[in-house]
Amino acid sequence: MRRVHGGSLLVGALWACSPPGPYVEGPQGAVDWTPGRYSLEATVGNELTSQDFSADLTIGPSNEMSLNASSGICQIQSPSDVARDMERGQRSFECGDAAWTVMAIPGGVRGTIRASVLVEYRAETACPIGRQGPCYIMRTERVTRTEPLRVQILP
């Protein structure tokens, strides 16, 4: 049987009661991020079905960041997760069914999205009597894919 300490319950309760809205974080570490607003876009899926994702990233003069994503409300990272990301020269945002990761590059950002999407694919099946194969049917499945972000600097 697993024990849960009261402090863990309090942290979980406070987390659950956090107000909704875009993720906002305070001043960051030593990575040089270029302040500004960025449009992030990606298409995730396969050749038959795909889903488009978009987000607006704002980086302030003191490296504070906010992300407003089409994939859902972004969860607040713990200070240790933010510190780990900053050591790697990146920031991560968990928003709905997608994880957005951005990295500082000279004059801007680049990044990836990891998202769970429903894709359609052709599957081979038995052919009806009198028909020569191969025969196919369409099926769907939920998959998780990682794609690069298309980044534009916003005015």
Side-chain angles (χ1 to χ4, degrees):
M1 180 176 210
R2 194 174 137 190
R3 283 182 62 174
V4 177
H5 296 284
S8 297
L9 290 174
L10 178 61
V11 169
L14 290 174
W15 185 286
C17 294
S18 297
Y23 174 86
V24 178
E25 182 63 45
Q28 305 302 312
V31 174
D32 285 331
W33 294 87
T34 304
R37 290 186 54 229
Y38 301 89
S39 171
L40 312 175
E41 296 179 344
T43 302
V44 180
N46 64 15
E47 62 279 351
L48 296 175
T49 53
S50 61
Q51 184 174 345
D52 293 328
F53 292 88
S54 63
D56 288 331
L57 173 69
T58 302
I59 302 175
S62 299
N63 291 341
E64 65 275 0
M65 294 184 202
S66 68
L67 185 77
N68 189 0
S70 65
S71 57
I73 296 172
C74 299
Q75 301 299 313
I76 296 174
Q77 281 185 300
S78 71
S80 62
D81 287 342
V82 171
R84 182 198 69 230
D85 274 358
M86 293 309 285
E87 287 175 13
R88 295 177 180 166
Q90 67 183 32
R91 282 299 309 273
S92 300
F93 302 89
E94 295 282 337
C95 311
D97 287 338
W100 302 77
T101 302
V102 293
M103 291 141 280
I105 60 171
V109 298
R110 66 181 171 90
T112 59
I113 184 172
R114 188 182 78 246
S116 175
V117 295
L118 194 61
V119 295
E120 192 172 42
Y121 65 96
R122 281 183 359 162
E124 194 166 343
T125 188
C127 290
I129 296 173
R131 184 164 173 212
Q132 294 292 333
C135 294
Y136 299 94
I137 61 171
M138 297 306 290
R139 296 196 183 228
T140 59
E141 73 176 329
R142 183 154 297 277
V143 298
T144 301
R145 300 265 167 81
T146 301
E147 295 292 337
L149 295 173
R150 295 181 301 276
V151 179
Q152 287 187 295
I153 298 174
L154 297 174

